[in-house]
Amino acid sequence: MPSVKLELGKFVTLRPRADGTHRVLFEVPPRLRPSGWSATIPLPIKEPRAGNLADADEVRRIQQDAKALYEKLQRERRGIVKEPDRSMKVLVRAWQASDEWKVLKPASVQSYKAYIRNVLALSEAAGHPDPTHLSVVDVKAFLSFFNDKPTTKKHTLKVLRILMNYAIGLGWRTDNPCATVKVKVPTAKALIWEQSDVDAYVAAAKKRGRPSIAVMILMLWEIGQRVTDARSFRAGAEYRDGVFKFAQSKTGAEVEIRVSDALREMLDEQGDGQMFVFRDESTGKAYTAERLVRVFEPIRDDVVAAGGRALKMKWLRHSCVVQLARHDATIPEIASITGHTLASVHNILSHYLPRDTKVAENAQRKRGIVNS
């Protein structure tokens, strides 16, 4: 067994059991122990159980803990009692103070902050483990809390992967335990809003005393922008006199679009004397992402109860692309309104438009086979 012992680390000893497992101990000779150092420390530290040395994951945890203990021993023998402050919270703070964080777009910052909260909450539940010793097994166990929320799980993994890369940059570790971890998210196809859907949701929003939601739905239906951008539109800045002019948060694409006279009248009334065009009637402030979801849900419930379809507000962006194509707009024309890339417009239409009978009817009308 000496070869296994050497692989596990310095001062690691094994005590065989009759069932073939081992007690794995970190034991420092008395002459080398600093004052107060325990004579025997079971390994792995956080999961003291029978040592199955055929289990590669358990061996890896033993090796990591043995290495950490040996480094701590060396520091204490040199009189350096306090360990470096390495926690997920410290790592997050370092990342948020970095140039990498400062150049992020506001929408990305808000998105990352939501998933950082997940990382910190789970870190706290685990007793604030040192991210230096985080393993692939730890990452998978960490993410298992979100098995019922695959999209949240995917984005939390993304943030954790960035944090571990930053830890490498700080010299805390040499590898990224998230590098080989993958999360599959079932592809959910968006439903395309029709004019009847828009009418139903607008009426339900007004009935609920939410004219801001009614106007936002109409605006998204006409110009197909991201809900994230719409929430932050300011009267007199991004919107003025029936024209939206702004740089999209995700792509940076400059967009300038005129809306219908009917919508302009509603927008001017909605934004009159207010900083934000779309403001929460309850707070007078711009909608947060979470607040918008909570306000929209009862409106959707009302529509569904009346026999309508359960739709998401973010699907209005794809729907606008489809509606523009139905009305003979070219891909460049569509992209100039919605701010998509040409490839994105093509991809949306390839998914949603070919099976649309209205497109076939448009084509036949263009050929002169059928009349308008």
Side-chain angles (χ1 to χ4, degrees):
M1 197 56 77
S3 61
V4 175
K5 178 180 176 181
L6 289 175
E7 289 175 5
L8 293 177
K10 185 78 170 176
F11 299 132
V12 176
T13 61
L14 302 174
R15 306 282 174 81
R17 293 191 178 96
D19 63 359
T21 62
H22 295 76
R23 279 193 78 201
V24 185
L25 308 170
F26 188 83
E27 296 184 315
V28 181
R31 62 186 178 80
L32 298 178
R33 283 182 221 146
S35 175
W37 188 276
S38 299
T40 299
I41 302 174
L43 297 176
I45 293 173
K46 293 180 180 176
E47 300 177 54
R49 61 172 185 257
N52 178 10
L53 300 182
D55 185 334
D57 291 329
E58 186 167 349
V59 168
R60 191 179 301 110
R61 285 194 292 273
I62 291 169
Q63 291 170 330
Q64 289 174 339
D65 287 350
K67 179 181 178 182
L69 283 172
Y70 181 74
E71 291 173 353
K72 179 179 179 181
L73 174 69
Q74 295 300 94
R75 287 194 297 272
E76 292 198 14
R77 290 188 64 199
R78 294 196 302 269
I80 306 173
V81 179
K82 189 178 186 307
E83 291 190 60
D85 188 8
R86 292 184 178 179
S87 68
M88 196 65 76
K89 186 178 291 186
V90 171
L91 183 57
V92 166
R93 282 203 302 263
W95 178 36
Q96 292 180 327
S98 70
D99 290 337
E100 294 177 22
W101 179 272
K102 292 174 183 176
V103 298
L104 291 174
K105 292 182 172 62
S108 297
V109 168
Q110 291 303 315
S111 176
Y112 283 150
K113 282 183 176 179
Y115 298 109
I116 284 172
R117 287 196 291 270
N118 292 341
V119 171
L120 292 178
L122 289 175
S123 176
E124 183 176 0
H128 296 296
D130 184 343
T132 303
H133 305 137
L134 205 63
S135 68
V136 174
V137 175
D138 296 326
V139 170
K140 289 181 177 178
F142 191 80
L143 295 173
S144 67
F145 286 92
F146 304 109
N147 283 343
D148 60 333
K149 297 179 179 179
T151 301
T152 298
K153 185 176 182 178
K154 177 181 178 180
H155 292 305
T156 300
L157 172 62
K158 178 182 178 180
V159 168
L160 195 55
R161 184 181 291 121
I162 293 172
L163 284 167
M164 290 298 99
N165 277 336
Y166 199 74
I168 293 173
L170 293 175
W172 288 16
R173 57 187 303 143
T174 58
D175 67 318
N176 189 328
C178 303
T180 59
V181 179
K182 299 186 182 300
V183 173
K184 291 185 178 179
V185 178
T187 54
K189 189 173 181 179
L191 297 178
I192 297 302
W193 288 63
E194 301 292 346
Q195 183 65 59
S196 58
D197 298 313
V198 173
D199 294 341
Y201 276 80
V202 166
K206 290 180 177 178
K207 189 174 181 179
R208 280 268 176 181
R210 291 288 177 180
S212 61
I213 301 298
V215 180
M216 189 184 294
I217 289 171
L218 289 170
M219 184 275 296
L220 295 172
W221 172 249
E222 282 200 14
I223 66 175
Q225 299 306 305
R226 290 181 178 83
V227 176
T228 303
D229 289 327
R231 288 191 293 105
S232 61
F233 283 156
R234 295 164 298 169
E238 286 79 16
Y239 172 75
R240 183 193 297 272
D241 298 330
V243 176
F244 282 96
K245 184 177 181 180
F246 62 98
Q248 291 193 321
S249 60
K250 187 173 181 180
T251 64
E254 294 285 344
V255 178
E256 183 173 348
I257 320 162
R258 185 173 299 279
V259 299
S260 67
D261 291 341
L263 180 55
R264 172 182 177 174
E265 184 177 340
M266 297 173 70
L267 282 165
D268 290 346
E269 180 180 344
Q270 182 68 23
D272 186 29
Q274 301 294 329
M275 180 175 181
F276 293 99
V277 176
F278 307 105
R279 64 191 184 281
D280 186 339
E281 283 84 1
S282 299
T283 65
K285 299 178 181 179
Y287 285 102
T288 64
E290 295 79 7
R291 177 65 179 166
L292 186 59
V293 169
R294 287 198 297 271
V295 169
F296 183 73
E297 282 179 350
I299 295 171
R300 179 172 55 210
D301 292 342
D302 291 347
V303 171
V304 172
R309 296 194 298 162
L311 301 173
K312 294 183 179 181
M313 194 179 288
K314 67 179 181 179
W315 292 344
L316 280 161
R317 182 160 164 78
H318 277 23
S319 300
C320 181
V321 171
V322 172
Q323 297 302 329
L324 286 166
R326 284 176 174 174
H327 288 81
D328 303 334
T330 65
I331 286 179
E333 287 171 342
I334 295 170
S336 69
I337 292 175
T338 64
H340 285 99
T341 63
L342 299 180
S344 293
V345 173
H346 177 78
N347 187 49
I348 292 168
L349 296 180
S350 69
H351 277 79
Y352 298 103
L353 202 56
R355 293 178 295 279
D356 192 311
T357 56
K358 292 185 179 181
V359 177
E361 187 175 321
N362 282 345
Q364 294 295 73
R365 189 177 68 252
K366 285 181 178 180
R367 294 170 64 196
I369 293 176
V370 298
N371 296 323
S372 301

